[in-house]
Every structure is written in C-alpha cells, then in structure tokens.
Amino acid sequence: MNASRFNRLVPVNSALAEDSSTAGNGSANASVPLTEEDDENVAIGVKYRVPPPEIRDIVDAPPLPAISFSPLRDKILFLKRRSLPPLAELARPEEKLAGIRIDGNCNTRSRMSFYTGIGIHQLMPDGSLGPEKEVNGLPDGAKINFVSWSSDGKHLAFSLRFEEEDSSSGKLRVWVADVETGTARPLFQSQEIFLNAVFDNYVWVDNSTLLVCTIPLSRGDLPKKPLVPSGPKIQSNEQKSVIQVRTYQDLLKDEYDEDLFDYYATSQLVLVSLDGKVKEVGSPAVYTSMDPSPDEKYILISSIHRPYSFIVPCGRFPKKVEMWTADGKFVRELCDLPLAENIPIAFSSVRKGMRSINWRADKPSTLYWAETQDGGDAKVEVSPRDIIYTQPAELQEGEQPEILHKLDLRYGGISWCDDSLALVYESWYKTRRTRTWVISPGSKDVSPRILFDRSSEDVYSDPGSPMLRRTPAGTYVIAKLRKENDDGTYVLLNGSGATPEGNIPFLDLFDINTGSKERIWESDKEKYYENVVALMSDQKEGDIHLNDLKILTSKESKTENTQYYIQSWPDRKSCQITDFPHPYPQLATLQKEMIRYQRKDGVQLTATLYLPPGYDPSKDGPLPCLVWSYPGEFKSKDAAGQVRGSPNEFAGIGPTSALLWLARRFAILSGPTIPIIGEGNEEANDRYVEQLVSSAEAAVEEVIRRGVAHPSKIAVGGHSYGAFMTANLLAHAPHLFSCGIARSGAYNRTLTPFGFQNEDRTLWEATNTYVEMSPFMSANKIKKPILLIHGEEDNNPGTLTMQSDRFFNALKGHGALCRLVILPFESHGYAARESIMHVLWETDRWLQKHCVSNTSEVSPDINASKDGEGKEVTDSENKVVAASGGGGAELADDFESGQFHSKPRSLMW
C-alpha cells in the first residue's frame, strides 16, 4: 500500500477488477468467505476493486437531469448529467494556490462536474410539458458549465470545453443558444478568446450583452519556478499581533506561488454583444465578482490584490469594490479592504469594514451594505454591533451614506419588497438567537419592529421564509398577495413545518401588519412528502391576486422518487410536469420508519430505520446493522429532542451512501441523533464523550429491542466529523459495535489548535477537552476492527490526510485490527468511479468479515460492560450507537460569508 501512495500513474483503462471476493447472491448473511490466500492479496491491495453487483448496479444507474425554469416560467431545461467520472480526470495536474485548486489547462477550478446536453421543453398552458428540443450545434463530447438565462428568457449562455489535439484542449469558450430554435453557436468570433473561470465567469448585463472574464490576450508564458530560491521562506510577527487561524490548506507558500496565482486568476473583462461586438473594459486584474444594477446602468466590480498571505486563503486577501458604468467606465471606489489575517476565530466574527455590498432588489440602482461596530470580534460587547447603510449610485455632491438600520446581533441579509416593506435578518451563533425585523425603507417615521425572535435550533417554532417573486429587472423581491375585498398586506411564508411527527411543509398567507395567518397549502401527511419549490405566477409586475397564485411543488414518498407539479389557485388544480424513472427499482420497496427513543438523561432522540425489501423480522430474524451518523451540537435538551426530517421523504441513495447496504440485506440506522448539548454557560464539548456514548447506547438498545438488529452484528460508520465520532465510539463504547468504518476524519485535535467544527476555544484554553475528545489519544483502547479511508488530496480544514496516517500508525503500534486505504487524487469527498467502487468494496469486505461473520454472543444488558470502559472487551460486551442530523464536512471556512444576493444567478428559478 505504501508503494501505491507514491505511484502517480493512473491506469488508462479504469483498472477496475471486475471480481470481488465478497460478491455473492445479494444476501449479507450468505457471504462468500475469503480464503487465506485471497485475504493476503487483499491486504496488499495492488489494484482497484469493485463491490458486488447488487451495489455496483445502483451506483452505475444513469443520473437524473437537473432542471431549470425560464425567467418567464414558460420553458424548462433538462440539464443532462453523466455518471461517475473516471480517475483519469482527477489525475489531471492541478495547482493548489491561496486555498483553491486550479486546473491550469482549463483555467478554471479543478474537478468541475459538467452537463452533457441541454433539453428544452415548453410548459404548456395546461401544465404539461411539450416535446423536448435538444440544444444543437454543439461539438461531440462537449462539456457544459455555467448555464445562464438572459432576463427575457430568449437566450442561454453557457461555457463549453472539449478535448482537442492542440494545447488549448481544455480551455472554456462561451457559447449562446437561441431558446426558440435550440441552435447554439460560439459567442466570440475569435478563436483566441477563452473564459477565465477561476472566480466569476460571466453575467448578463442586459438581454443582448454579457460581461465576461477572459484570459488576457497579453498573458505571457507560465512563470517558471527558479531552480535556486532567492532566499529562505520567512514569516514574522515582530509586532506581536494576535493572529489565530484554522488549519487552512492549499495556501500560497512563496513568491513563485504568488506569481502563479496571479497568472491563472488575472482576468480581462470584456463586454460582448450577441451580434459579436467585443470591447475590453478596465485593466487586467484578479476580478472575483460582477454584479449589474437592476436598471442595467451600473456594475459592481470586486477584485483582490496584493499583498497576499501565506496563512489565510484568498477570501481574506485585500479586497477592492468599485462601481463602473454598464459600458465599463470607472465611477468610484466603494472600499479597499486590507488583508484580513486577524479575523478572530470566535463564531460570528467577521471582517472589518464594508461587507455584503449589494444592490437593492427593489430599486433601480441603490447600494446597501453592513459595517461592524465591534471590530469584527464576536467577543467584544458593544451596541449596536452592526449598522446597515444605504446609498444611491448617483450621488449628489457631499451626499453621505444613510443609516438604514442598527443591529445588536450579527447582520445576516435583507429580503426587499418595496419602500414600505423589507425584512432584515440578524443572528448570534453562541446563543442560537435569530431575529427578523420589519422595516419601511422609504419611511423614516415608521419605527422598525421585530417580527420574529426565536432560537434557530427550535425548528418547531420556525414560521417559514417569505417567498420571492421575480421582477422584470431579473431581481427577486418579497411577493405581496392580495385577497378579494381585503386591504391587508399579505406575504407567503414557506415553511418546513417541523412537528413531533416529522416535517409537514406549509404555505401560509401572512398578514405582515397583524401577524394573522391562514394556511393555504400543506403537504400530505399520510403517504407523501411535498414541498413548495418556487413561485410560478410572477411574470407580471405588482401584487399577485390569491386566485391567480401558481406554485411549483415537489412530491415524493418513501418508495416514489421526486416528481414536480404545478398547483394553481383557486381550484388547487395540480398538474404533474415530470415523470422521472425510479433510480434504483431493485430497492423500490425498501422499508423506512422514523423512530423515537430516549437517552438515559431524558433527551428524546430520533433516527431513520431502513430495512431491506421484503424483510419480516418475525420470519427473518435480526439482521446485521450499520449505524451511520454525524454528531450535532445544541444549546438545549428540548431543541436536541426535536424531530427533523420526514418519514415520507424518498430514500435518496448517493454513490457512497450507507443505504447501499440495504441491497446486501443490512438494517441501516441512518442519522440517529447524537446531540452534544451545552446548556447555559456550559460548553458542549466538555462532555462530548459522555454524551456520545449515551446517545449510542440508546440507539443500539432500540434496534435490538425492535428485533431488527443482531446484538453482535452492529457496525458504526461516518464521514468527516462522523469518522471522528466512529473512532471515539470504538474507543469509549467498544461493547456496542463489532467494527467501524471511518472516512476522511480528523482524530488528533491538537493538530487543529485554533478550533474545529463548532469549537471556537483554542487548545490552550480548553486543553483537557481537546485531549479527551481526540481518539488518537485513546488509540490504545481501540480493540474492535476499524477501517480508515481518506482522500490523498483532502483539502478540508481540519481533516488533513496525515490525520488518518498518524492514527493508523498509533493503532498499529498498539496491535489494533485496522486497515488504512488512501485514495490517490481524491479530496474530502470522493468523486472518481474507480475510487468510489473501491471504497464500497473495502466497506463491504469489512462489514462481511467483521460484522456479518461476527459470531460473538452479546449480553442484552448494556450496563453489563461499564466496568473498565477502555479495557479490551469480551465477546459478551456488545451493544449500540447514535448520532445527530445530517452529514457534511467538518467546519470549512465560510469563504466570503454573509453575501445576500438580490439577483441570484443559480440555475434554479
């Protein structure tokens, strides 16, 4: 295996061994045992393997398309996708610079997925879809990215790249397509103009003009790394500044890296019209965003510049924001923020100076932004903490910014409506408090008032968010509704509808002045899970009459995949507009149940229990069980005990999902709540291990009580912070699990000394907590088999690949049964088909060998194994696990957080 760490050659023909020593008849209980010779070859691991067909077939199923509606809501795009990419794509050279990864050949971010085709459907008056019209004229094998509608819905812009023989093989070109005919063509007549998509890419300035980030035609050759450095690498803090940063990766290392970053990130902005006219605007610079004003007269241009930093990513580099006219003339500089190396690590800390600079969505060209009053330090007590300013683009002589609103928590964005209504959001992480203010931007004599003041953890009290309507300018504002013979000011609140029985999404007609509500739509509760996706009746300007309301909803069930519907008032007629096939019909009849149980300290816990199709516990007996989860932090027991999710949601199965083992006749306990609670002034992590084990015991006890899980055949696994959880459970609750699978985790918290996940104390402030939470420090206690998997190029803060390397060595040094799989070219999540198939093969082998084949007898009394928590346990000491909502990476830097865009450019809606 060590040899494979340094073997950078990628097999051209996929190198997947289409055999699997554990492939059997689909039953986990009928696994094929490994011979001694097979197992020895497996341990050496010289080639990629694939899992059994019942897992492989699900992963290789063709993906469903993404969808995007036209601005006028009269057409829908089906954006076609391919299945998993080959490892050869990940093996392409990439530059790791300033916290980002760049594909130098394409001059864009590396590892970009893409669409393979675009289908256009007319949305008929009765709600049905017309026949598909394929965007035509594209080269064979074209890879499509950055699909964007013009505001009038008549054209699409997108980038294309395709493999050629020459040196410009992968560079992106901008294309446009006529939506009516489907005919596509290159936007630029010149073959020498390429897109620079390292940061922003292009934006519609108006219906016939785009502003494009291009690779400067004057760009010279790639900087050459000097064979001999000009001097040592030096960093200094002779000013004794307090600078604490998380363990960011892929940072600049020297002057050569700075030059390389400039080379790839520098763009020349170009205005280009659909008729082919091209005009360069501004000088080449590292432009990071372009945002036209709603009236199309001005453009906000953001850029970053030197001096760069070797300790923080580019999101904290010096940042300049300027206002230009739509034809590219400089108007004025709004700010030039200095390098921000010293943003405190406490949550809710922000950058000093102007931030979140945007256009008001309801005005032709009015700016607004926030400025901190606490120096950006969340630990400083001050009132107000943030001030929101506003200013017109066209200034009168001597005109100063106007204060719009003052906040005592941290500013979180604004939803605009008109001069009489806007909603301002603020929150504070430490207390989980969140508030929504109602303001009248055009009436200084109307005092702001609090509309909602609640805990962000209290999902039962969530009133929902206002639905936005699209304006003719292409921005999004709060939709106002009116009723017959009623002068009230109504908005639509779209909520997830969390209840003790699960989420029941709703749409409320809400009187913004009186606070009265009328529920005009609610999801089916018995069989289906429905959700409001978008407003579809916003083509005309002005208030929407309730009888003209039209919404896009999604609908799914435990066994039926998501389809989309249009619902129309007043008769509430519903019309299905998609008919996607079931992605994995072999699991169409899987069994799913949301279960509730209690931790020994009284905290209510929730998990989703999945059982294989056709399984009957009374006839088939208990199954091997895989518990897969991710811990979460809460400030109160009540919030931790609230139900999140719906029992009727479709069981989506991703390429590395634990649910794949339903096809191998496992019971899957997915996302059991593992709350780490810190009430009042208590820090949650100070009792992390205690609460982790207690939650795990409750979960395992419940699946055993139900008779669906064999007590000695329960495995635990997780990704990222879930891997950290897994290692801790094997160290501190070995009586519960037969084995563990830990993917892309961090195991030694002393290597992340300035905070991790939701911990914002430093190692020196909470030494005992850091040490006690680190399974690395308890490696001598881990006696159950543990499989460690990690991407060799993990770029996530906190989960460096060496975390798994060092943990494996610590385990091996104490004689633990362990295995480490390092995936070449993979990052924090895994992408290539070869890698994913091998991860599934490794996982299946581990489960078959150490879970399914485990013949230990287990005492049903969980408390029987409490003596000697860390000692090697006997065969009679097995039991349970639990965890908390969601998955996802360990805390990553919020690159440029707090940006609330009034004019979203996403594909959807």
Side-chain angles (χ1 to χ4, degrees), residues 102-113:
I102 298 171
D103 184 329
N105 191 41
C106 298
N107 221 104
T108 185
R109 299 292 178 94
S110 61
R111 304 164 186 246
M112 281 201 316
S113 58

Side-chain angles (χ1 to χ4, degrees), residues 221-295:
D221 295 333
L222 191 70
K224 292 184 178 180
K225 189 177 182 70
L227 293 176
V228 178
S230 58
K233 298 176 182 179
I234 297 173
Q235 296 187 54
S236 174
N237 190 33
E238 296 180 39
Q239 298 80 20
K240 298 183 180 181
S241 302
V242 176
I243 297 177
Q244 301 177 347
V245 294
R246 298 231 174 180
T247 47
Y248 301 117
Q249 299 191 53
D250 301 339
L251 301 176
L252 299 177
K253 300 180 290 297
D254 51 32
E255 292 179 4
Y256 171 71
D257 275 0
E258 292 181 308
D259 293 341
L260 207 56
F261 177 74
D262 277 339
Y263 178 83
Y264 287 119
T266 297
S267 295
Q268 171 65 60
L269 297 186
V270 171
L271 281 168
V272 55
S273 58
L274 294 180
D275 61 9
K277 294 178 182 176
V278 176
K279 176 187 176 183
E280 289 189 354
V281 293
S283 301
V286 183
Y287 296 107
T288 56
S289 70
M290 309 169 293
D291 187 12
S293 61
D295 64 1

Side-chain angles (χ1 to χ4, degrees), residues 360-506:
R360 269 186 65 166
D362 62 326
K363 289 290 185 181
S365 52
T366 298
L367 296 164
Y368 70 100
W369 66 90
E371 292 187 33
T372 179
Q373 305 301 299
D374 57 13
D377 190 348
K379 292 184 178 180
V380 173
E381 294 297 330
V382 65
S383 178
R385 191 172 290 277
D386 271 340
I387 296 179
I388 306 167
Y389 293 93
T390 183
Q391 188 177 56
E394 298 173 1
L395 289 177
Q396 303 298 319
E397 186 174 348
E399 186 175 357
Q400 296 300 309
E402 178 184 331
I403 293 178
L404 181 68
H405 192 47
K406 297 179 179 181
L407 300 169
D408 284 336
L409 308 182
R410 188 63 78 204
Y411 168 70
I414 302 179
S415 293
W416 298 96
C417 183
D418 53 31
D419 271 338
S420 68
L421 174 63
L423 299 182
V424 181
Y425 308 101
E426 62 173 341
S427 63
W428 197 246
Y429 177 78
K430 204 72 174 176
T431 60
R432 309 300 196 272
R433 189 178 187 185
T434 178
R435 295 196 297 196
T436 303
W437 291 84
V438 178
I439 65 170
S440 297
S443 304
K444 294 182 181 179
D445 56 339
V446 178
S447 298
R449 61 184 174 88
I450 292 177
L451 184 65
F452 304 122
D453 187 350
R454 47 182 293 273
S455 167
S456 60
E457 290 184 339
D458 182 10
V459 293
Y460 291 171
S461 72
D462 188 351
S465 301
M467 293 208 71
L468 305 181
R469 63 181 301 277
R470 190 178 184 281
T471 69
T475 62
Y476 286 81
V477 299
I478 297 173
K480 274 187 178 179
L481 269 78
R482 53 188 172 86
K483 297 165 67 175
E484 203 71 47
N485 302 318
D486 190 331
D487 295 331
T489 302
Y490 294 97
V491 299
L492 290 170
L493 293 182
N494 182 13
S496 59
T499 74
E501 289 72 46
N503 287 2
I504 305 171
F506 63 82

Side-chain angles (χ1 to χ4, degrees), residues 39 133 169 212 263 301 323 450 557 603-604 622 624 712 717 755 776:
D39 204 31
K133 177 171 29 185
S169 59
V212 184
Y263 178 83
I301 302 290
M323 186 168 65
I450 292 177
S557 74
V603 176
Q604 291 292 319
S712 63
F776 180 87

Side-chain angles (χ1 to χ4, degrees), residues 484-623:
E484 203 71 47
N485 302 318
D486 190 331
D487 295 331
T489 302
Y490 294 97
V491 299
L492 290 170
L493 293 182
N494 182 13
S496 59
T499 74
E501 289 72 46
N503 287 2
I504 305 171
F506 63 82
L507 197 60
D508 279 349
L509 194 62
F510 181 75
D511 189 318
I512 204 77
N513 296 316
T514 67
S516 63
K517 299 179 183 179
E518 177 189 349
R519 188 141 299 179
I520 62 172
W521 178 90
E522 188 173 69
S523 171
D524 177 271
K525 303 175 187 177
E526 303 305 319
K527 180 181 178 182
Y528 291 101
Y529 174 74
E530 300 171 284
N531 220 345
V532 177
V533 180
L535 198 60
M536 299 294 285
S537 51
D538 57 355
Q539 300 95 328
K540 298 178 182 178
E541 198 166 1
D543 297 353
I544 301 170
H545 195 286
L546 181 58
N547 288 340
D548 296 326
L549 182 63
K550 190 182 292 185
I551 57 174
L552 178 72
T553 62
S554 62
K555 184 177 182 180
E556 61 197 84
S557 74
K558 298 176 185 179
T559 58
E560 298 170 63
N561 54 304
T562 304
Q563 306 292 353
Y564 292 95
Y565 295 75
I566 289 181
Q567 295 202 22
S568 305
W569 270 252
D571 55 6
R572 298 286 302 277
K573 179 185 176 184
S574 181
C575 181
Q576 182 174 342
I577 61 171
T578 61
D579 188 20
F580 298 129
H582 197 292
Y584 21 88
Q586 57 271 59
L587 292 179
T589 57
L590 62 79
Q591 302 172 56
K592 175 186 176 184
E593 181 184 358
M594 187 175 282
I595 63 174
R596 302 214 69 191
Y597 49 97
Q598 187 169 291
R599 204 165 74 176
K600 63 184 179 183
D601 61 359
V603 176
Q604 291 292 319
L605 304 177
T606 309
T608 304
L609 177 63
Y610 294 89
L611 298 169
Y615 169 72
D616 183 342
S618 62
K619 296 178 181 178
D620 303 328
L623 297 171

